[in-house]
Amino acid sequence: MRRYFTIALALVSALSCAGEVTLKISGASGLKGTAKLTNKIQEDGSKYVRMEMELRSTDGQIANVLQESVYDKAGMPVRMIQNTESKGAKTQKIVANFERGNVRLRVTDGSKSSDETLLIPAGISPAAKYEFWFVRDKVSPGGRTSYYRFDLQTTKWERIEVVFQGVRQITVEGKSVKANLIEIGEIKADVDDSGDPWRIEMPGIVLERSS
């Protein structure tokens, strides 16, 4: 189960969107759940992202996960927080602050905490410019960008290619809607003209907007 919410939080919470939407989650082996995604441009031009998830596995396990991220107006990560709770397991909280070429990381498992400072590798760009697509910046079909994403679980950097493939019609809850298809690595995200997701597809998981 950890595999699924790790993928979902690491990548879905980075989707460019605005406002607030509720998503239903379905996954391999009967995984189900709900997600509430909130995104907003703040007064200083930075972007705030909050994602709350409740995941249920077929054996009755429930995991509640909260992730918050802040990006400056250029798309550079400022802070990432991930909190995971599940019955019978220690609560885990990870806080990453990005500053002056470093990542200051604090990991809390139950009552134990550890701190680490990691260098941001020279020559890479962590700026997720697509975070502002539609919500602030216009992009034409074929528009693309790339950046390096920091994985809170592995503390590794991964290069991600992002492409706006264009507009298509999809069906959500029995209704045909116009969607802008963005490919983020192996993820396909269909979003509306405000950047809010209609549907997100990734290996093993689908998130779809619910009314």
Side-chain angles (χ1 to χ4, degrees), residues 3-18 21-26 34-39 47 49-53 55 67-69 71 80 82 130-131 147 149 151 160 184-191 195-209:
R3 170 179 171 267
Y4 294 120
F5 64 68
T6 297
I7 293 172
L9 284 168
L11 299 176
V12 176
S13 66
L15 292 174
S16 65
C17 40
V21 294
T22 299
L23 305 162
K24 60 183 179 181
I25 302 168
S26 58
T34 57
K36 182 178 178 182
L37 187 60
T38 303
N39 295 259
K47 184 181 176 187
V49 182
R50 177 185 175 93
M51 187 171 187
E52 301 171 76
M53 297 175 66
L55 297 173
Q67 182 159 334
E68 294 180 315
S69 301
Y71 301 88
M80 293 182 179
Q82 179 175 301
Y130 81 99
E131 278 289 341
Y147 76 109
R149 180 182 65 83
D151 189 304
I160 305 293
I184 308 161
E186 59 186 354
I187 294 173
K188 292 183 178 180
D190 287 289
V191 305
D196 289 323
W198 286 112
R199 183 167 61 222
I200 303 160
E201 300 175 19
M202 65 185 71
I205 299 179
V206 175
L207 295 92
E208 188 170 279
R209 190 189 298 190

Side-chain angles (χ1 to χ4, degrees), residues 80-91:
M80 293 182 179
I81 300 173
Q82 179 175 301
N83 193 79
T84 305
E85 298 179 356
S86 57
K87 187 176 180 180
K90 294 179 180 178
T91 297

Side-chain angles (χ1 to χ4, degrees), residues 42 47-49 67-72 76-81 94-99 152:
Q42 304 188 105
K47 184 181 176 187
Y48 170 77
V49 182
Q67 182 159 334
E68 294 180 315
S69 301
V70 177
Y71 301 88
D72 71 15
M76 292 289 289
V78 176
R79 182 176 65 256
M80 293 182 179
I81 300 173
I94 304 174
V95 179
N97 287 289
F98 300 77
E99 54 187 39
L152 289 174

